[in-house]
Structure formats: structure tokens, C-alpha cells
Amino acid sequence: MRHLLTLDGLPRAALVHLLDRAQHYADHAGDPRTLEGFAVCTLFFEPSTRTRMSFQLAAQRLGAHVLNFDVSTSSARKGETALDTLRNLEAMGVRGFVVRHQDDGAVAMLADAAQPGTVLINAGDGRSAHPTQGLLDMLTLRQAKGDRFGSLKVAIVGDVRHSRVARSDLHALRVLGVGDIRVCGPAPLLPDAATLTGCHVTQDLDEALDGVDAVMMLRLQRERMEEGLVDSLEAYHRGYGLTRQRLSCAAPDAVVLHPGPMNRGVEITDEVADGPQSLILRQVANGVSMRMAVLQTLLSPDP
Ligand code: CP
């Protein structure tokens, strides 16, 4: 594995290796500083709080120099392309690039053009993939439920069609052998059949939640209302908002995940987001450990 562009096709052993390494970092305090001398750039063409900050913290804990590319003050504003930006940073000796871009396939395109020895990590491209979010979600699930992925029942709820998080989660859940994957949302927000391979698909939230061990909520992208795919935020909340009452359809020890940022009161209520079954801040904490594992594995692989 030279780059991390998607979880699609990632062998189970590679995924489990990353989970184990991230768990090691989560369990052991102290900064290993194994990437001293490396330079890593967070190259984000779209906004981010969690992904960018956790990658920066992860790279710092591994001892790397961290450069933060700010698109608003960069020469991208003068029309410089992403590829020229990459080439110039490579010329400065930057070895690792964590890239977020609005276009599907943009990170893969940059990876194809990169110098040998350059490593690219997809931090979210278009609707395609957000692999480190998928990985940290699996780490969070494994901490809560153990290794019994085969017997887990998991529901993914919301705007699946436009969600790169959902696609990466679905790839990871399948690789880990989760036997019962349910996908739920209003018809205009459901993806194509290929994305849904092997999933039970429903537009009924109570059916989706019935007896599940984990609920993975997705952010409603508000521009979907402007596109006419959702009638109103209130109607969406009535149909697909996770309330404490609706969560009672799930298993009593079910856990709730959300990648953030949350629309509180739309796809999830405060009492669920901040309640005892919520692992949302655990996901954020795991983001640092998981991104350390990814940076370490790609930039300084074990012999
Ligand atoms: N989950 C996630 O990608 O959040 P950010 O957009 O804040 O990075």
C-alpha cells in the first residue's frame, strides 16, 4: 500500500493491521516521534475541523514537520492548479500529503502524477471516499463491540447518496464481514444499487433500527434541501431524525456514531448526541490514533 485512496479492495489483513496499530497508539501515552525528519502537508481544498486537525496532531506526535496549506491565502487563489501545488511542495521535500478535494477522483489523479516516494492520503474526495473516517469508525465499533463483526447488526442512516463517509464505512463493514448491514434514508438520498450491494435497504427508520447494535448517522447536507431532495428540515427530522424514542428500537446496548459536523435537531437530537449511547467524541479521539497509524504505516513501513 503506497497511498491510501479508498477502502475499496483493501485486504482484511491490511485493515486489521491499521486497527491494531491505532489501538496501540490509543493505549500507549507518549509521542513515538518515529517520523522525525519527514514533512507532511495537509492540502485541503474544502473546509474541515476534525480531519485536518487530527492529521496535524497525529503527524506532530510522530515527530514530523507539519505544513498546513491554507487555500484561501495560497496561490490557488491566483489560479495555480492542485497538481502544480503538489509539484512545488514536493520540490521543497514534502513527503506526505493529506488531501481533501471537492472532486471525485482528484486525490487519485494527484497520486498518479506524484513522484516516486511521495505518499498521498485521501482525506475526502467528492462523494467517493473518506477512508480514514471509515477506519476510525471501525476502530470505534471494535472498541465497543469487540471482534464479533460477523454477528453485528449495523444501520447507516441519512444522506447516503452524497456521503463519502457512508461509502468508506460500507467498504470497511463488508471487509470485516458484518453480516447485517442496513441502509436507510428517503428515496432521493439513497445511492445506486452497486453502492448498496449486500445491504438491506429501507425507507422506514424504525425497521432499520430494529435490534441493531450500532447506528451510524450521517450529516444531512443542507444544500440537498435547495436541490429539492428534501421537503424541509422539519420533515426530514420527523422521518429520519434519531431521537431517544426511536433509538429504543435498537438493541439496549446499541451505540451511536456520527462523523460530524452534526446538524443538531435535524438528523440527531441533543439528548442522543450527548447521551450515554453516543460514541461521537470517542470517534474524534480515535481519529488521532488512526491517523497516526496511517501516517506511520505509509511513510515508514515496517520491514
Ligand atoms: N468527519 C469529518 O470529515 O469532519 P471534518 O469535515 O470536520 O473534517
Side-chain angles (χ1 to χ4, degrees):
M1 187 168 62
R2 177 175 158 202
H3 306 292
L4 180 62
L5 304 177
T6 175
L7 299 182
D8 191 6
L10 191 72
R12 190 178 199 280
L15 202 160
V16 171
H17 167 83
L18 289 169
L19 295 182
D20 290 344
R21 183 167 273 198
Q23 189 62 55
H24 171 83
Y25 290 134
D27 291 342
H28 294 82
D31 294 343
R33 303 195 67 78
T34 45
L35 293 184
E36 275 181 349
F38 287 89
V40 172
C41 178
T42 52
L43 190 57
F44 278 50
F45 296 91
E46 271 192 343
S48 167
T49 296
R50 281 149 288 271
T51 311
R52 186 203 286 265
M53 298 301 161
S54 58
F55 262 115
Q56 289 177 354
L57 197 53
Q60 283 165 5
R61 289 192 57 192
L62 292 167
H65 297 292
V66 184
L67 286 82
N68 177 28
F69 172 83
D70 177 0
V71 71
S72 67
T73 56
S74 76
S75 288
R77 291 288 299 271
K78 302 178 207 162
E80 188 164 40
T81 65
L83 182 52
D84 277 334
T85 304
L86 175 82
R87 286 183 172 144
N88 279 269
L89 290 163
E90 280 180 317
M92 295 176 203
V94 177
R95 174 87 195 283
F97 292 88
V98 180
V99 187
R100 174 170 287 189
H101 201 282
Q102 59 278 12
D103 295 340
D104 294 302
V107 188
M109 182 276 289
L110 292 175
D112 282 345
Q115 296 292 322
T118 295
V119 163
L120 272 88
I121 299 167
N122 185 356
D125 67 321
R127 302 174 183 183
S128 297
H130 192 347
T132 57
Q133 181 72 46
L135 290 168
L136 75 88
D137 289 347
M138 296 309 113
L139 180 64
T140 308
L141 263 186
R142 191 173 76 164
Q143 288 169 352
K145 299 292 170 188
D147 279 319
R148 57 175 192 95
F149 285 106
S151 63
L152 275 189
K153 299 174 186 167
V154 178
I156 299 181
V157 178
D159 182 4
V160 186
R161 179 171 162 192
H162 302 97
S163 175
R164 55 197 177 204
V165 173
R167 284 177 178 75
S168 288
D169 281 336
L170 284 167
H171 288 311
L173 291 168
R174 288 192 197 104
V175 167
L176 291 171
V178 173
D180 186 345
I181 307 173
R182 306 175 193 181
V183 169
C184 177
L189 299 184
L190 291 174
D192 56 278
T195 302
L196 295 168
T197 303
C199 302
H200 173 75
V201 183
T202 176
Q203 294 177 50
D204 180 334
L205 181 57
D206 292 339
E207 181 189 336
L209 297 180
D210 185 26
V212 292
D213 303 295
V215 191
M216 307 180 86
M217 298 303 296
L218 299 172
R219 180 171 72 91
L220 177 67
Q221 302 180 21
R222 286 171 185 256
E223 59 271 28
R224 305 307 162 215
M225 238 178 61
E226 285 145 35
E227 292 168 16
L229 299 179
V230 173
D231 291 337
S232 69
L233 297 180
E234 293 74 21
Y236 185 83
H237 179 69
R238 275 197 302 279
Y240 298 97
L242 189 63
T243 61
R244 195 162 57 182
Q245 186 186 359
R246 296 197 100 154
L247 183 56
S248 67
C249 297
D253 62 348
V255 293
V256 176
L257 287 79
H258 189 303
M262 289 182 278
N263 294 302
R264 289 173 176 267
V266 181
E267 71 263 8
I268 192 165
T269 58
D270 288 341
E271 62 183 357
V272 175
D274 304 326
Q277 290 166 269
S278 170
L279 297 181
I280 294 169
L281 291 178
R282 173 78 71 85
Q283 288 172 272
V284 177
N286 282 336
V288 179
S289 311
M290 181 47 75
R291 285 157 181 148
M292 287 175 75
V294 169
L295 288 167
Q296 175 67 28
T297 300
L298 291 178
L299 285 168
S300 182
D302 295 330

